Amino acid sequence: MTSPALCERCGLRMASYDQVERRVEYRSVATLSRLRTWRLALICRKCAMDEWEHHDHPHGRDSEQGTLL
């Protein structure tokens, strides 16, 4: 019997349906072809949602965005 997986971000015990694999991917700039992919961590869905939200809105949803003009 295998031991339950723990979230590497918050330490929560995860079921298989709650696991999200965090990966890093490198691509060629010229062709956008994938060069390599590595698994960095198993995290829970809640932590993954927090990371996705921070990636899409690093300063929060209500912060003022800069302009180019």
Side-chain angles (χ1 to χ4, degrees):
M1 180 166 200
T2 61
S3 61
L6 299 177
C7 176
E8 295 185 32
R9 187 169 181 230
C10 71
L12 180 72
R13 180 176 286 168
M14 299 182 291
S16 61
Y17 63 84
D18 196 37
Q19 296 174 5
V20 177
E21 195 174 63
R22 185 192 303 146
R23 291 179 167 263
V24 63
E25 181 176 87
Y26 294 99
R27 290 184 174 264
S28 165
V29 173
T31 63
L32 294 180
S33 61
R34 184 173 69 192
L35 301 175
R36 292 189 188 269
T37 304
W38 285 275
R39 182 176 114 180
L40 296 178
L42 278 176
I43 58 176
C44 68
R45 192 167 302 279
K46 181 181 177 298
C47 288
M49 295 297 285
D50 288 343
E51 288 186 5
W52 296 333
E53 181 70 21
H54 180 73
H55 179 270
D56 292 344
H57 306 283
H59 305 292
R61 285 188 177 272
D62 297 331
S63 66
E64 186 174 322
Q65 297 293 319
T67 63
L68 296 176
L69 300 175

